[in-house]
Amino acid sequence: MKIRFTKMHGLGNDFVVLDAINQNFVPTPEQARWLADRHFGIGCDQLLVVEKTDTPGVDFRYRIFNADGGEVEQCGNGARCFVRFVHEQGLTQKREIRVETKCGIIAPRLEADGQVNVDMGAPRFLPAEIPFDSATDAVVQPLMVGDATIDISVVSMGNPHAVQVVADVDAAPVAQLGPLIEAHPRFPRRVNAGFMQIVDRHAIRLRVYERGAGETLACGTGACAAVVAGIRRGLLDSPVRVATRGGELSIAWGGANSPVMMTGPATTVFTAEIELPNNL
Ligand SMILES: N[C@H](CCC[C@H](N)C(=O)O)C(=O)O
C-alpha cells in the first residue's frame, strides 16, 4: 500500500504527518512503529494523523502515535505543525482552528510571522487525572527511583508529566533516570520525565525523556508542564522562555484553571510517498 506523508518538526521534535481525510490510512501500532523507525522506515518521534470530525464548532480531529506505536492524548509541538500542515495542504483557509484530541479541544493559530500560538487548555493536577498513584496532589512529591528519591511535580496537559528541578540540564542523568521514571509503577499509563534548570524567574532550560519516544530535542507539552510546575513551586513568573536542545518556546499561564498558552515555530521539511511493506 502506498501512502503520502509530510515530514515536519517543532524545534527538532519530528513528525510524520498523515492526511487521513484524503487517503484512507490510519496506522496500526505495528505500522506506526515501522514508519517511525529511523533505520527501516521514515523516522520520527511521533506520527500525527489528521481526521475529519462532525463535532460542532470543531474543524479537525488530531490523533498522535508515539514511535513505540502507542496512541496518546496530546502533543504540543505537533499541534503547531498540525495547523501549518492543514493550511499548507489546503485543508482549511482558516489561520486559527479548533482541533479535537483524545483529551479535549485545542486552538492553534498560525501567526503572520510564521510562529504558531496554541491554547493548550488548562493543566490538571489531581492524581486520578494524571494518572499517578498518590494520596495527595501536593505541588512537590517524593518518588523512589532506583536507590534514589527525587522530588517531582506532576502535571497533566492531557498527557502525563513528572518534572524535576536540576542544577544543570547538560549534566542531568536523563538517559539513566528517564527510562526509570517513564516506566515507574506509580504511573499506570507511564509518564514523560522533565528535567528543568531554572535560569531566572522568566527563563528555564529543559530536557524531556518522552514516554514512548525517548529523549527528544524539544517537547511542547513538557515545556507547558515544566512552566506550570515552576510557577506552582514559586520559582517562575509567567511568561517563561523555555530553552530546549532544539530551540526556544514561550509559555504563559495565568494560574489555576486558566489555559496554558504556547508560542513557537513549526517547520515543513518535505512531502513524499512510501510503500508500506505487505507484511505489516
Ligand atoms: N511523548 C508524549 C507525546 C508527544 C508529546 C511531545 N512530543 C510534545 O511536543 O508535547 C506522550 O507520550 O505523552
Side-chain angles (χ1 to χ4, degrees):
M1 175 187 185
K2 186 172 281 196
I3 58 161
R4 183 176 169 78
F5 70 91
T6 297
K7 189 78 178 20
M8 301 186 78
H9 72 84
L11 299 177
N13 177 200
D14 65 336
F15 309 108
V16 165
V17 190
L18 301 166
D19 169 357
I21 298 174
N22 294 302
Q23 67 181 343
N24 182 21
F25 176 74
V26 177
T28 63
E30 196 182 10
Q31 290 170 331
R33 281 191 291 275
W34 183 83
L35 289 165
D37 190 295
R38 297 190 187 282
H39 301 284
F40 297 102
I42 302 167
C44 63
D45 294 322
Q46 282 88 30
L47 293 100
L48 312 180
V49 178
V50 180
E51 292 187 327
K52 275 202 294 266
T53 176
D54 48 17
T55 306
V58 174
D59 302 290
F60 297 100
R61 185 197 316 279
Y62 164 39
R63 295 178 69 180
I64 302 131
F65 300 84
N66 278 323
D68 69 358
E71 183 168 4
V72 291
E73 310 88 347
Q74 192 55 276
C75 179
N77 289 321
R80 301 198 312 277
C81 289
F82 187 100
V83 67
R84 175 172 297 289
F85 178 79
V86 293
H87 214 261
E88 288 180 348
Q89 297 291 321
L91 295 172
T92 181
Q93 301 308 316
K94 295 181 180 177
R95 298 187 73 82
E96 174 158 3
I97 58 175
R98 287 170 57 78
V99 182
E100 191 175 72
T101 70
K102 274 184 82 166
C103 69
I105 292 170
I106 56 172
R109 187 176 67 240
L110 194 51
E111 306 291 358
D113 65 359
Q115 291 284 298
V116 182
N117 199 308
V118 192
D119 170 345
M120 292 297 292
R124 315 301 304 164
F125 307 107
L126 296 176
E129 294 174 308
I130 304 298
F132 177 46
D133 175 9
S134 173
T136 161
D137 66 341
V139 176
V140 181
Q141 300 196 43
L143 185 75
M144 290 280 289
V145 184
D147 53 9
T149 297
I150 57 174
D151 285 339
I152 59 169
S153 291
V154 185
V155 179
S156 172
M157 289 305 300
N159 60 344
H161 291 270
V163 186
Q164 60 184 288
V165 176
V166 294
D168 174 0
V169 282
D170 294 329
V174 176
Q176 295 75 18
L177 283 187
L180 296 176
I181 297 168
E182 179 201 11
H184 198 284
R186 291 181 63 192
F187 291 97
R189 290 204 211 129
R190 298 184 293 158
V191 70
N192 300 282
F195 300 76
M196 156 169 74
Q197 175 184 341
I198 307 290
V199 174
D200 64 38
R201 293 193 66 83
H202 288 283
I204 63 171
R205 297 178 67 210
L206 179 68
R207 291 171 68 183
V208 181
Y209 188 92
E210 286 199 30
R211 175 179 63 172
E215 182 175 3
T216 57
L217 292 180
C219 179
T221 52
C224 295
V227 167
V228 166
I231 291 171
R232 293 185 90 215
R233 288 187 179 207
L235 303 172
L236 296 174
D237 298 311
S238 180
V240 177
R241 293 185 315 282
V242 180
T244 75
R245 295 190 139 179
E248 189 168 293
L249 286 170
S250 174
I251 307 291
W253 181 53
N257 253 338
S258 63
V260 182
M261 303 305 290
M262 169 183 63
T263 303
T267 307
T268 299
V269 183
F270 67 90
T271 292
E273 290 189 336
I274 190 166
E275 190 71 44
L276 273 179
N278 294 325
N279 62 341
L280 282 184

